[in-house]
Amino acid sequence: MTRVFKFAISFAVLFACLATTAFAQEKLRAVIIDGQNNHDWKNTTPRLVKILESCGRFEVDVATTPPQGEDVSGFTVDFSKYDVVVMNYNGARWNPELEKAFVKYIVDGGGLVSYHAGNNAFTDWPAYNEMIALGGWGGRNHDSGPYLYLDNDGNVVIDAVQEGPSGDHGPQWAFPIDVRAPEHPIMKGLPLRFRHCQDELYQYQRGPAHNVTVLASAFAPQDKRGSNRNEPLILTVPYGKGRCVNNMLAHGPESLTAVDSILLLQRCAEWAATGEVTIPVPDNFPGEDDPVFNESLFK
Ligand code: ZN
């Protein structure tokens, strides 16, 4: 074998190794935190894992705290391993070191997706409330921050005057969702209005509401015990160098089978992790009239 030929082979092998490594590194690392929630986390977390892994973009770990009422001080997550943290958690405060590590992780450029009742958590943790911007329940009230909604022209209204509790929804129904930031990577290519599945429509959320970009809202009509307002349902918040998304959709396992729930969670997670979205809109994405489901994903 000539020296030149040997060199060519070594180079080819080296290149192949580098290419393989680069390919392996393309998957984003996500961790879902659960273990305490007034929602069915035992059945939603496996679906969230499936949703994220099935698009080929993520490798997913799950970090489960001890159950409600038990000591969570030993619970820990090495956030530095992850591109995005998905909160399927609505429970006890973590130990101070872990909370500090989480804030540092986001400030340094980490990603957060608060899923549904993730924004019910941690009423008395100021940094977390800054990240989610709006939350509900957990004793939140006027002191937690203003209400935020959209007027008939789609302008954001921040109401710091009105008294009242935070967090409410009427009976579940299949409401239409309005895209409010069509050029945002998470929403790009979606129809401006599409039919979500039967789900809770969160309303009267309160929080610090700083630097909020509302990506999607839905009108909560009074005949569905609604606020008579356009309620924000997906929003983004910068925190330090980090990207936070508060996605209030999909109360239970059934609502996670909706095609829009699936895509929006994938895209929220990808954007929170990277600031970009590469996951395409599927051909069967719902239009204005009927929800569309992908139950086979979970079989
Ligand atoms: Zn719920």
Side-chain angles (χ1 to χ4, degrees):
M1 208 186 281
T2 68
R3 193 178 286 183
V4 172
F5 189 58
K6 264 191 196 162
F7 176 77
I9 289 180
S10 312
F11 188 77
V13 168
L14 177 69
F15 185 77
C17 290
L18 284 174
T20 310
T21 310
F23 183 74
Q25 282 174 341
E26 266 180 30
K27 286 219 177 182
L28 301 167
R29 300 289 309 270
V31 60
I32 298 169
I33 298 179
D34 66 10
Q36 296 187 17
N37 203 322
N38 61 326
H39 288 70
D40 186 5
W41 62 270
K42 287 184 180 171
N43 286 306
T44 51
T45 288
R47 293 196 165 193
L48 294 173
V49 172
K50 187 81 182 180
I51 284 169
L52 293 180
E53 291 193 336
S54 65
C55 71
R57 197 75 179 96
F58 300 95
E59 270 173 23
V60 183
D61 290 336
V62 177
T64 302
T65 67
Q68 204 106 34
E70 289 189 18
D71 178 15
V72 298
S73 63
F75 173 69
T76 193
V77 180
D78 180 0
F79 293 112
S80 68
K81 284 164 59 181
Y82 299 105
D83 300 297
V84 59
V85 175
V86 178
M87 287 286 287
N88 188 14
Y89 182 83
N90 175 19
R93 290 281 296 264
W94 302 332
N95 73 63
E97 292 74 31
L98 186 62
E99 293 189 352
K100 224 166 116 185
F102 180 66
V103 173
K104 180 174 175 0
Y105 160 78
I106 298 292
V107 166
D108 289 349
L112 167 67
V113 177
S114 169
Y115 155 63
H116 192 62
N119 85 335
N120 299 184
F122 301 139
T123 300
D124 56 357
W125 181 2
Y128 186 76
N129 284 278
E130 288 287 342
M131 293 175 198
I132 58 172
L134 294 175
W137 297 275
R140 287 176 171 84
N141 58 28
H142 189 265
D143 295 338
S144 310
Y147 290 123
L148 184 152
Y149 59 95
L150 295 93
D151 68 16
N152 290 337
D153 297 322
N155 301 310
V156 170
V157 179
I158 293 179
D159 180 351
V161 176
Q162 193 184 344
E163 298 283 341
S166 173
D168 186 34
H169 58 77
Q172 293 192 26
W173 63 292
F175 49 86
I177 290 178
D178 294 311
V179 173
R180 298 297 185 174
E183 293 305 313
H184 191 281
I186 293 171
M187 308 312 281
K188 193 136 185 155
L190 302 187
L192 289 180
R193 173 171 282 190
F194 55 89
R195 183 67 55 167
H196 186 53
C197 61
Q198 177 159 313
D199 198 358
E200 292 173 350
L201 198 174
Y202 273 14
Q203 58 189 3
Y204 297 117
Q205 308 287 295
R206 283 186 182 276
H210 294 139
N211 307 313
V212 173
T213 301
V214 177
L215 302 190
S217 66
F219 184 72
Q222 285 175 313
D223 66 358
K224 304 283 188 193
R225 211 172 54 71
S227 61
N228 204 34
R229 293 170 172 173
N230 293 295
E231 294 286 351
L233 295 178
I234 305 177
L235 53 89
T236 64
V237 186
Y239 191 86
K241 291 184 200 156
R243 285 171 296 272
C244 307
V245 188
N246 182 346
N247 180 341
M248 304 175 205
L249 297 171
H251 165 79
E254 302 75 26
S255 51
L256 283 173
T257 66
V259 167
D260 59 309
S261 301
I262 293 167
L263 181 74
L264 288 165
L265 280 163
Q266 292 166 338
R267 284 183 154 199
C268 287
E270 188 183 24
W271 183 81
T274 67
E276 291 168 6
V277 168
T278 63
I279 302 161
V281 183
D283 292 340
N284 65 342
F285 196 86
E288 213 170 304
D289 296 332
D290 298 304
V292 179
F293 298 91
N294 182 5
E295 276 153 6
S296 62
L297 183 66
F298 306 101
K299 295 226 161 93

